Amino acid sequence: MAKSKFEYVKQFETEDRLLPNCWIVVRIDGKGFHRFSEQHNYIKPNDDRALDLMSKAAETVMEEFKDIVLGYGQSDEYSFVFKKSTNVYNRRASKLATNVVSLFASSFVYFWPRYFGTQMMQYPPAFDSRTVIYPTDKNLRDYLSWRQADCHINNLYNTCFWKLIQEKGLTPAQSQERLKGTMSSDKNELLYKEFEINYNNLSALHRKGTIIIRTPKQDQENGDLDILKLQLTPSGSSTARGGLSSRSPRPMTGGARRVGDVSAILMFTGI
């Protein structure tokens, strides 16, 4: 950039370089997606088309930013974990947050027809983002466990809420009143007694969310990633994903794979 007498204005820019040797998490979240889901006729309580689209957008982000070692998504949010040693954009929080969220949002729109076919998008979606650092592995584990607990709580409530509406004929207000003050055990009992549903048998993707992990290629040198080399079995197609397979493990090379249990995958990755 050529120097000029106006260059002094750069002094007003805020220094937002993140601390070194810390996990960096960029979390994106849909803005006003309650309205967006209604306007686009999302299937309730879970629309696999929308969840698969979110994961495709997340994979696109991970393909662009090689220092992301793990992504976790549920509902209309995704968290991206950058390795501790990353120096992308000199670790500037604003650059990381804006570049990740802009690529995610554009990918969401770009891949929309692949998952929703001829259903036109009624208006542009928006996502916000934030950047947070976690100095210890325990902090990162607790953060991801927090997001997965949020997934469980919301999905259990929404499953009951929509069952009461769709199968018992309650209005949204009546369904909300019916569930007011209930505990998780109450909701599980409601599903089992009134709908013959064992909540634990529902899709792990809906109950636990989606994890996308990056696994090193076999010829990659040790220590290039901040996670241990893995030997896991992919969970399979998007319609069947959601848990670790019990089959004999085989090495996974390159790319990203989806599984559904934060605690299990963090144990395997050593995070």
Side-chain angles (χ1 to χ4, degrees):
M1 182 183 296
K3 290 188 176 182
S4 72
K5 65 179 182 180
F6 306 110
E7 192 173 0
Y8 78 93
V9 297
K10 292 173 59 180
Q11 299 174 30
F12 293 97
E13 295 183 9
T14 302
E15 173 60 43
D16 61 350
R17 186 170 182 175
L18 299 170
L19 291 174
N21 199 35
C22 294
W23 297 101
I24 298 175
V25 174
V26 176
R27 184 168 85 247
I28 64 94
D29 197 1
K31 178 180 180 295
F33 257 61
H34 179 75
R35 172 173 171 259
F36 185 87
S37 65
E38 288 184 344
Q39 290 289 316
H40 292 88
N41 301 311
Y42 275 24
I43 299 169
K44 303 294 185 178
N46 294 290
D47 193 322
D48 285 335
R49 299 170 303 171
L51 295 173
D52 284 346
L53 174 56
M54 291 285 291
S55 290
K56 180 59 180 177
E59 288 178 359
T60 304
V61 170
M62 291 182 67
E63 288 168 1
E64 175 67 22
F65 295 98
K66 306 300 184 184
D67 280 359
I68 295 176
V69 296
L70 183 150
Y72 173 72
Q74 52 110 348
S75 187
D76 62 345
E77 72 170 58
Y78 244 98
S79 296
F80 298 97
V81 180
F82 284 81
K83 62 184 183 179
K84 286 184 174 182
S85 60
T86 187
N87 200 36
V88 176
Y89 300 124
N90 289 319
R91 299 176 71 90
R92 291 175 59 188
S94 57
K95 295 283 283 187
L96 287 166
T98 54
N99 276 274
V100 167
V101 74
S102 62
L103 179 56
F104 189 97
S106 62
S107 299
F108 186 93
V109 174
Y110 181 81
F111 290 111
W112 175 272
R114 179 181 297 187
Y115 298 93
F116 284 83
T118 58
Q119 180 178 333
M120 297 293 293
M121 188 173 282
Q122 300 301 306
Y123 63 89
F127 296 85
D128 64 37
S129 67
R130 69 202 69 188
T131 306
V132 185
I133 56 173
Y134 296 99
T136 70
D137 294 354
K138 182 181 185 303
N139 294 151
L140 179 62
R141 286 196 301 270
D142 289 347
Y143 167 79
L144 292 168
S145 296
W146 169 52
R147 299 320 305 146
Q148 189 169 68
D150 183 76
C151 175
H152 162 70
I153 292 169
N154 290 336
N155 186 68
L156 179 58
Y157 180 91
N158 288 332
T159 300
C160 295
F161 180 83
W162 286 104
K163 279 292 181 183
L164 290 170
I165 293 173
Q166 295 166 351
E167 298 188 20
K168 294 293 185 180
L170 272 62
T171 65
Q174 290 171 333
S175 182
Q176 184 177 19
E177 184 63 27
R178 174 75 185 277
L179 296 173
K180 186 177 180 180
T182 57
M183 307 295 289
S184 293
S185 57
D186 301 321
K187 296 182 182 72
N188 276 286
E189 185 176 3
L190 182 150
L191 289 174
Y192 189 76
K193 286 188 174 180
E194 297 196 26
F195 303 100
E196 297 183 349
I197 293 176
N198 184 331
Y199 181 75
N200 291 327
N201 292 337
L202 297 180
S203 168
L205 171 65
H206 300 157
R207 291 183 292 111
K208 300 179 180 180
T210 302
I211 296 177
I212 306 177
I213 58 173
R214 186 187 305 284
T215 59
K217 296 180 179 179
Q218 290 185 355
D219 58 353
Q220 199 166 1
E221 293 183 2
N222 290 328
D224 191 45
L225 298 180
D226 282 335
I227 59 175
L228 303 178
K229 288 197 173 185
L230 309 178
Q231 281 196 325
L232 300 175
T233 303
S235 56
S237 67
S238 61
T239 56
R241 71 177 181 264
L244 294 177
S245 170
S246 60
R247 294 176 295 172
S248 299
R250 64 178 176 83
M252 298 195 303
T253 59
R257 299 292 186 268
R258 302 189 186 115
V259 294
D261 193 337
V262 164
S263 58
I265 198 61
L266 293 184
M267 176 182 69
F268 277 102
T269 58
I271 292 177

